[in-house]
Each structure stands twice: as C-alpha cells, then as structure tokens.
Amino acid sequence: MVFPKNIVIVEDETITQRYLQDIFAQYDVNVSGCFDNAADTIEALKNIDCDMILMDINIKGSVDGIQLAKDILKTYDFPIVFITAHNDDETFQEVLELSPYGFIEKPFSRKDIVFTLQLAYQRYLSHENNSKVKPTNEIREYLILNEHYSYSRPLKILYYDDQPVKLSVKQSKLLEVLIKNVNHTVGYDVLTSAIWENDIVADSALRTLVYSVRKTFPDLPLFSYSKIGYSIEINTSK
C-alpha cells in the first residue's frame, strides 16, 4: 500500500492538525495545507497540490465538512476521508451518500490514520485504473457471502441487502484478512498480527473482536474452530 503524495487537512482543532502533520511527516507525505473552515479550503484548492483530503465533519463556520465535501466534489475528483467524533447513524448515512473513501472516528490512533488512509488511497488508485475500461459505478466485484451479505473486494466494504454497513477499523481489518482467505481457516497468530501489528494485546482481544462482529452481524458466515482460528465460509457450488 502507498500514501498519497499531497494531502489537505480540514480540521478545526489545532492540536489535532499538529498530530496529523507529525504522523504524515513520518511517511514523507506532504501536507499541502491545514484549514479549519470551508471558505479557506475552497480558495486554497485552486492553487495547491492535493491527492487526498482528510475532512473533519465539524469545522468552523456555517458550512460543515459534509456540505464542504459536496461542494468540492462538484469541481474536483479528490478522494475524501472523513473524521468525526460523532458516530450516530444519521451522520453515517449522510457521509455514505458521498461514497467516501474512508471514515475515522475520534479519538483515533496513529495506526487508525495510517491504515485507513493507505487503504483509501489504494481504493482510489484502483478506481482510477478501472475507470479507464468501465464506469466507476460498475466497479463492485461483489463476493456474495449469503442471501443478505456481500463484500466488495476493491472497496473493502461489507454490504447488507446491498446497503454498506459500518465497521470499526479493527472489524474491517478482520474481515479483510478472512475474505482474502475465504473458505480457509486463518490462525489466531496471523489474525492478531494483521489487526494489531506489533502491539502486545491480551489473548482475549481477538475473541472479543470476533464476538463484536457476530453480535452486530449475526447472519455473517463467520465460523470458529477451537484452538485453530476463524474463517468466512461461502457456498461456491452455485
């Protein structure tokens, strides 16, 4: 995975701006600009390099981040990743209408930012390449999991009855690994390493994460094998 070369941050908290800038500096990502309101952002985009926008929903002024994103997308095709402290369903549905490339909840960690932005940019590049041969709205490549659930491999989005569902960063990582190995059991160590990388976590962390997925999505074909691991299993005979 790769980062965008130039990123624009729209965030009204100075401390958060600096935290994000410090993260991007570690990965040689150029922050083209930091803005805390819609007017300054729109004006600056006319003259600065931008490959991606990290957009806070609550910004200064009468125009929030969602409306600002709508205004930007009328002129530009920048991939936008939203960040917000509000995770209510109404906000989530508003964001989904814009087909965002990512969604990060506050408070977030460095790994949340790194994982989400790399994944978002990879999706964007995939869309750009595929759009040369077919319209973007046809780029789904669904994997049908069962009568309710499907999964878009290029977008790495889970759908329930054709509607995208909200996943936490770690839930998304878990499903991504299991989908890559569909109909094969993935061991505990492999999953833990992929989800938490070098962090030291309790033995129960993976079980708790899987439980949260099962509780939220009870019909998902997620199976466990004692002392071995977990798998997503689908019927491939059809």
Side-chain angles (χ1 to χ4, degrees), residues 70-220:
K70 291 178 181 178
D71 293 340
I72 290 172
L73 292 173
K74 291 176 183 176
T75 305
Y76 306 98
D77 188 30
F78 299 138
I80 299 176
V81 173
F82 288 94
I83 54 177
T84 180
H86 301 283
N87 58 4
D88 58 280
D89 290 339
E90 184 177 349
T91 299
F92 184 61
Q93 289 303 319
E94 271 195 275
V95 171
L96 281 181
E97 290 177 6
L98 298 176
S99 300
Y101 282 83
F103 188 93
I104 303 172
E105 294 181 24
K106 292 181 177 179
F108 50 76
S109 67
R110 179 189 65 83
K111 287 185 178 179
D112 292 336
I113 293 293
V114 170
F115 175 81
T116 303
L117 263 66
Q118 284 183 318
L119 187 57
Y121 197 56
Q122 184 184 48
R123 291 173 188 167
Y124 173 72
L125 294 178
S126 175
H127 289 184
E128 286 289 286
N129 291 333
N130 288 334
S131 64
K132 296 177 182 178
V133 262
K134 58 182 179 179
T136 303
N137 60 5
E138 293 180 9
I139 305 169
R140 289 287 177 161
E141 295 183 23
Y142 285 121
L143 178 66
I144 304 301
L145 303 182
N146 58 25
E147 60 180 334
H148 292 295
Y149 287 101
S150 58
Y151 187 86
S152 171
R153 280 172 162 151
L155 299 180
K156 295 182 173 61
I157 294 177
L158 180 68
Y159 294 84
Y160 182 83
D161 290 343
D162 294 326
Q163 295 298 314
V165 298
K166 186 178 179 182
L167 297 169
S168 70
V169 171
K170 288 183 174 57
Q171 287 175 336
S172 180
K173 289 181 182 179
L174 172 67
L175 286 184
E176 180 185 354
V177 176
L178 293 177
I179 292 294
K180 283 182 178 178
N181 298 276
V182 66
N183 288 338
H184 292 85
T185 304
V186 183
Y188 301 135
D189 290 345
V190 173
L191 287 168
T192 301
S193 176
I195 297 167
W196 285 278
E197 298 180 4
N198 296 321
D199 287 350
I200 298 175
V201 296
D203 293 339
S204 61
L206 181 58
R207 292 197 304 272
T208 302
L209 179 61
V210 171
Y211 173 78
S212 74
V213 173
R214 283 176 165 163
K215 183 178 179 180
T216 308
F217 314 109
D219 298 327
L220 194 67

Side-chain angles (χ1 to χ4, degrees), residues 217-233:
F217 314 109
D219 298 327
L220 194 67
L222 172 55
F223 295 85
S224 61
Y225 293 90
S226 180
K227 299 181 180 179
I228 301 176
Y230 299 95
S231 68
I232 291 287
E233 298 181 11

Side-chain angles (χ1 to χ4, degrees), residues 3-9 28-33 48-54 78-79 121:
F3 273 114
K5 292 182 179 179
N6 303 287
I7 195 163
V8 169
I9 299 171
D28 295 323
V29 176
N30 175 52
V31 177
S32 301
I48 61 177
D49 294 325
C50 178
D51 299 308
M52 176 176 284
I53 299 175
L54 188 57
F78 299 138
Y121 197 56

